[in-house]
Amino acid sequence: MTEAVSPPEPTILAAPFLEVMSRDGAHPVCDLIGELPFCWAPPQTSSDPLYQEHSHFKAHVELLGPTGLVTSSRVRIGLYGMLPHSEYGLRTHPAEETYIMLAGSAFWKLADAPYQQLFAGQRSHHPSMMPHATRTRDDAFMSIYIWDGDIATDQYRYFGLPDEEHSSG
Ligand SMILES: [Fe+2]
């Protein structure tokens, strides 16, 4: 006897994502992303408690990859966003990574460089094992990310918020 497995219930993106995705400067694909019945949820890249604590503000869908809507063992491509006034600290992983901003604005930090604000159409590229961090201010953002090379997550490490966050706003 076979039993049908029910697909997970789709979730609606939180309003701050939909707001930046409806702006004039957002990539046109945002209209489609907002309408499709994705199961948005924080990623489960790490079981580290600090990572979990710093994940509730994230919206994520893996489109192509080992756990994606379409299966691939060679690459991960997905959608990723963060709510306003959120901080996702420094992390490293073997995969080479590119984030392409689709809507809103985010601040990206690479290694020891200061945070740089990026808007729709801009990219943040992270070579393998380069520490990077992300934060938002008044706007949410939505992006598409690409993981290439070694896409396993067993060597992913999360280090928490950068030290400079304790001394300045
Ligand atoms: Fe990353």
Side-chain angles (χ1 to χ4, degrees):
M1 178 176 142
T2 58
E3 198 170 314
V5 177
S6 304
E9 285 292 314
T11 55
I12 296 173
L13 272 173
F17 294 117
L18 297 173
E19 194 273 316
V20 295
M21 290 164 63
S22 68
R23 291 185 191 170
D24 286 346
H27 191 286
V29 77
C30 288
D31 291 341
L32 183 59
I33 292 170
E35 291 173 7
L36 287 170
F38 290 130
C39 300
W40 296 99
Q44 297 294 323
T45 310
S46 171
S47 58
D48 182 323
L50 187 60
Y51 174 87
Q52 297 285 332
E53 185 182 327
H54 291 176
S55 287
H56 60 89
F57 46 77
K58 303 169 186 171
H60 169 250
V61 175
E62 186 172 283
L63 299 173
L64 178 65
T67 58
L69 298 175
V70 179
T71 302
S72 171
S73 60
R74 300 170 60 93
V75 68
R76 292 181 197 266
I77 297 176
L79 302 169
Y80 182 90
M82 284 170 46
L83 288 169
H85 303 289
S86 300
E87 298 256 5
Y88 178 17
L90 286 164
R91 64 271 190 187
T92 59
H93 46 71
E96 180 167 343
E97 175 179 69
T98 302
Y99 277 84
I100 303 167
M101 298 286 292
L102 298 177
S105 176
F107 295 77
W108 292 90
K109 177 178 174 61
L110 274 64
D112 294 328
Y115 279 93
Q116 181 183 8
Q117 186 173 18
L118 297 185
F119 299 92
Q122 296 183 300
R123 300 176 179 208
S124 189
H125 176 246
H126 315 141
S128 174
M129 301 308 288
M130 174 179 280
H132 50 286
T134 321
R135 70 183 180 192
T136 54
R137 287 186 179 158
D138 292 340
D139 287 337
F141 79 92
M142 181 53 62
S143 68
I144 186 162
Y145 69 87
I146 302 150
W147 265 29
D148 199 0
D150 179 358
I151 64 166
T153 57
D154 53 323
Q155 291 185 65
Y156 172 98
R157 297 290 181 271
Y158 185 60
F159 304 99
L161 304 188
D163 285 343
E164 68 178 44
E165 296 307 294
H166 301 301
S167 57
S168 68

